[in-house]
């Protein structure tokens, strides 16, 4: 199958498949004389494994280590995926039950205890922080947390408003080419904002990698696309152009 056919079958972008190829995560079986990537059934089986790991929150680097390990066992991995997804489903079912009970409670049909109102919630670990620690190490996150912790509530609110304003500005431009002057000026503002406010300096390579994570990790995609459908992909493409242009 050609890359566009695989993308259409799976529901991911062609750019994502190209990225998997570039980082050695999923190499197509072969390339046609005209330069088309061609994927085999074995490639599709590997892609399924990758997407199962992604669904469970594994970063791409870790997925690559796992699936390319000589000791990797596909059947064992599938059994692990199933076990973890069942656990995830159980927690979601509990939250749905809590919602149903809350609806009945608001109608006056039942009475809920305060404990029952929060069954299924688990904030013991911030998934964004966990992902960041895996990708950039504890030091970068600790610096970011320390800087935010030293801000007043008013300063934190102002910072959040500035961040949202940049998102909205980029959302307004998401139908323009990533390499356009307007898009590049807006993404430069995002680059400067990140490096000025979180106690950690992003190199151009790290900035480009961060953009790729916006589309690789559905949690980030969902958060960013609140400002406009397709914004995460646009930011990913625009950040890649910015990083490549400014390396010269």
């Amino acid at each position: 199958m050609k890359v566009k056919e695989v993308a259409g079958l799976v529901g991911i972008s062609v750019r994502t498949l190209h990225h998997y190829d570039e980082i050695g995560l999923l190499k197509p079986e072969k390339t046609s004389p005209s330069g088309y990537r061609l994927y085999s059934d074995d490639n599709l089986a590997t892609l399924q494994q990758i997407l199962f790991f992604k669904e469970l929150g594994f970063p791409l680097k870790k997925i690559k280590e796992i699936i390319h390990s000589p000791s990797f066992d596909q059947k064992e991995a599938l059994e692990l995926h199933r076990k973890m997804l069942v656990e995830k489903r159980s927690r979601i079912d509990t939250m749905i039950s809590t919602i149903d009970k809350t609806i009945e409670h608001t109608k006056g049909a039942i009475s809920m205890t305060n404990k029952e109102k929060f069954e299924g919630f688990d904030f013991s670990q911030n998934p964004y922080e966990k992902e960041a620690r895996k990708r950039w190490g504890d030091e970068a996150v600790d610096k970011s947390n320390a800087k935010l912790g030293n801000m007043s509530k008013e300063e934190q609110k102002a910072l959040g408003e500035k961040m949202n304003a940049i998102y909205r500005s980029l959302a307004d431009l998401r139908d323009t080419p990533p390499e356009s002057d307007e898009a590049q000026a807006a993404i430069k503002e995002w680059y400067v904002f990140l490096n000025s406010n979180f106690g950690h300096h992003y190199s151009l390579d790290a900035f480009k990698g961060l953009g790729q994570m916006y589309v690789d990790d559905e949690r980030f995609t969902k958060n960013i696309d609140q400002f406009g459908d397709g914004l995460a992909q646009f930011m990913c493409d625009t950040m890649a152009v910015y990083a490549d242009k400014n390396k010269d």
Side-chain angles (χ1 to χ4, degrees):
M1 296 179 71
K2 293 180 181 178
V3 65
K4 285 187 178 180
E5 294 173 319
V6 175
L9 173 69
V10 179
I12 59 178
S13 69
V14 169
R15 182 176 177 81
T16 295
L17 288 169
H18 286 176
H19 179 63
Y20 289 175
D21 183 5
E22 290 164 4
I23 65 174
L25 177 61
L26 179 65
K27 290 285 187 183
E29 186 72 23
K30 59 183 178 180
T31 302
S32 72
S34 53
Y36 289 106
R37 292 173 170 87
L38 299 175
Y39 292 82
S40 65
D41 286 346
D42 285 343
N43 287 148
L44 293 180
T46 301
L47 179 57
Q48 185 197 50
Q49 290 280 352
I50 292 168
L51 297 180
F52 276 135
F53 277 118
K54 275 194 63 183
E55 176 65 27
L56 294 168
F58 285 76
L60 295 182
K61 183 177 179 181
K62 186 63 178 176
I63 296 173
K64 181 180 176 181
E65 291 175 5
I66 293 170
I67 66 175
H68 291 298
S69 169
S71 61
F72 178 70
D73 184 309
Q74 184 180 24
K75 182 176 179 294
E76 183 182 27
L78 287 169
E79 290 172 349
L80 176 63
H81 293 321
R82 187 181 189 283
K83 177 178 180 292
M84 295 181 74
L85 286 169
V86 167
E87 291 174 358
K88 184 176 180 180
R89 182 180 66 185
S90 177
R91 190 170 72 84
I92 291 172
D93 285 344
T94 301
M95 293 186 72
I96 291 172
S97 176
T98 299
I99 290 173
D100 290 340
K101 289 179 182 177
T102 303
I103 291 172
E104 293 302 307
H105 175 73
T106 58
K107 292 177 180 177
I110 64 170
S111 178
M112 293 180 74
T113 66
N114 287 334
K115 183 178 181 180
E116 287 175 326
K117 292 175 183 177
F118 298 98
E119 288 181 350
F121 291 101
D122 182 6
F123 299 109
S124 58
Q125 191 162 32
N126 183 327
Y128 290 93
E129 180 169 324
K130 181 180 179 182
E131 189 73 19
R133 287 188 184 279
K134 286 180 179 179
R135 290 176 179 272
W136 300 300
D138 287 350
E139 183 179 356
V141 178
D142 289 340
K143 284 181 179 179
S144 175
N145 287 345
K147 186 160 185 177
L148 289 173
N150 289 328
M151 291 182 179
S152 67
K153 288 185 178 180
E154 291 75 17
E155 289 173 327
Q156 290 183 22
K157 182 180 178 181
L159 186 66
E161 290 174 350
K162 175 63 174 175
M163 177 184 292
N164 290 343
I166 297 175
Y167 277 136
R168 285 191 289 269
S169 174
L170 285 162
D172 289 341
L173 296 169
R174 67 187 188 279
D175 291 328
T176 63
E179 63 274 10
S180 69
D181 291 342
E182 296 87 348
Q184 287 300 298
I187 211 66
K188 179 181 179 180
E189 186 178 2
W190 181 238
Y191 182 65
V192 172
F193 174 80
L194 290 177
N195 281 331
S196 301
N197 292 288
F198 295 99
H200 173 67
H201 178 77
Y202 289 88
S203 66
L204 290 169
D205 284 336
F207 186 60
K208 183 176 181 178
L210 179 63
Q212 187 61 47
M213 191 168 72
Y214 290 167
V215 296
D216 283 345
D217 191 319
E218 64 180 15
R219 294 168 296 181
F220 285 91
T221 305
K222 183 178 180 181
N223 186 51
I224 293 170
D225 280 1
Q226 292 180 88
F227 295 89
D229 290 340
L231 178 57
Q233 184 66 63
F234 173 73
M235 289 184 69
C236 171
D237 295 341
T238 309
M239 290 163 76
V241 172
Y242 180 84
D244 292 342
K245 284 180 65 175
N246 287 278
K247 284 180 185 177
D248 300 333

